[in-house]
Amino acid sequence: GAGVSQSPRYKVAKRGQDVALRCDPISGHVSLFWYQQALGQGPEFLTYFQNEAQLDKSGLPSDRFFAERPEGSVSTLKIQRTQQEDSAVYLCASSLTLTDDEQFFGPGTRLTVL
Amino acid sequence: AQSVTQPDIHITVSEGASLELRCNYSYGATPYLFWYVQSPGQGLQLLLKYFSGDTLVQGIKGFEAEFKRSQSSFNLRKPSVHWSDAAEYFCAVRASTNAGKSTFGDGTTLTVKP
């Protein structure tokens, strides 16, 4: 596809369930980023990858959050034992390189935890 | 640690009027600065960026921004607003030493009156 795609677009989970959010970056993009956007706030950095290497995961809120990009392309953000405070839009972005290239954002996955 | 403040949560302007959205950042060295626009249901789109050089930066859709080091500001401007500019605008900062981690402000919602 021409842009970054994310699936599912909407996810409703019961508290305590595990969820997996998928990001398909633009083909050939080396860098991939995950952000969490709570209602009424700006995106907050979670983690980023260069190819398959996770270079910074300092933004992950707890050890319930885990991200992977095993083949350097598609990435999955997994949240275990979801809590209500995990409700947010999860944004994925990719860029051609890491340094000064534009980040292209996907439409996001809206997660609602009941 | 880097941070971004967008003092105006909501701004309303008339179509055809000029626009200025404020952004103040906190970072020890020269930052990389960005403005993004987010329309409902769509991903963030980069309007413009500043890395170095000329402090007046031109972007897409007729937007420009000026980096003022002495004021730690990067305000976004447009001389004549169109109804289609109604959206949420985010300012972001990225450290030159950590290219992966961007910090966003909480956004300014722009409403355009006919």
Side-chain angles (χ1 to χ4, degrees):
Chain A
V4 177
S5 61
Q6 294 185 245
S7 60
R9 290 293 310 278
Y10 303 90
K11 177 70 179 177
V12 178
K14 292 183 179 178
R15 190 162 56 93
Q17 280 185 332
D18 297 349
V19 298
L21 312 181
R22 177 187 170 106
C23 173
D24 284 84
I26 294 173
S27 178
H29 277 198
V30 167
S31 300
L32 185 145
F33 310 82
W34 283 100
Y35 296 87
Q36 180 190 60
Q37 186 175 19
L39 189 63
Q41 296 184 13
E44 285 200 19
F45 170 83
L46 293 177
T47 184
Y48 80 90
F49 294 83
Q50 186 166 353
N51 295 308
E52 68 277 5
Q54 189 173 18
L55 299 185
D56 187 337
K57 54 181 181 179
S58 63
L60 295 176
S62 75
D63 59 7
R64 297 185 295 103
F65 286 71
F66 173 76
E68 61 183 5
R69 193 186 185 200
E71 297 178 358
S73 179
V74 171
S75 177
T76 303
L77 177 67
K78 297 179 179 178
I79 309 173
Q80 297 176 323
R81 305 181 303 280
T82 52
Q83 304 295 315
Q84 283 190 321
E85 61 263 28
D86 300 335
S87 296
V89 175
Y90 290 85
L91 299 171
C92 176
S94 70
S95 67
L96 188 59
T97 66
L98 183 59
T99 52
D100 62 352
D101 278 296
E102 175 180 351
Q103 292 185 19
F104 293 85
F105 282 80
T109 294
R110 181 177 297 278
L111 173 65
T112 303
V113 182
L114 303 177
Chain B
Q2 61 211 41
S3 66
V4 176
T5 302
Q6 294 182 245
D8 304 304
I9 296 174
H10 194 179
I11 283 185
T12 299
V13 300
S14 297
E15 190 168 15
S18 63
L19 170 70
E20 181 169 31
L21 302 182
R22 296 184 291 164
C23 172
N24 293 96
Y25 68 91
S26 173
Y27 178 63
T30 300
Y32 294 167
L33 295 161
F34 308 81
W35 274 100
Y36 290 86
V37 61
Q38 186 177 38
S39 299
Q42 298 189 15
L44 285 98
Q45 181 183 22
L46 181 68
L47 288 175
L48 46 78
K49 61 186 178 185
Y50 172 79
F51 287 162
S52 64
D54 192 345
T55 57
L56 185 62
V57 180
Q58 302 297 320
I60 62 171
K61 303 185 180 187
F63 286 93
E64 67 178 25
E66 186 171 13
F67 170 57
K68 293 186 177 179
R69 183 189 303 275
S70 62
Q71 299 177 19
S72 297
S73 70
F74 189 57
N75 294 348
L76 182 71
R77 300 194 294 251
K78 186 169 185 177
S80 177
V81 169
H82 188 262
W83 64 266
S84 60
D85 293 325
E88 189 152 22
Y89 292 80
F90 293 94
C91 180
V93 62
R94 202 169 83 195
S96 54
T97 54
N98 184 353
K101 186 173 183 176
S102 295
T103 299
F104 285 77
D106 283 337
T108 297
T109 300
L110 173 65
T111 298
V112 180
K113 293 191 302 184

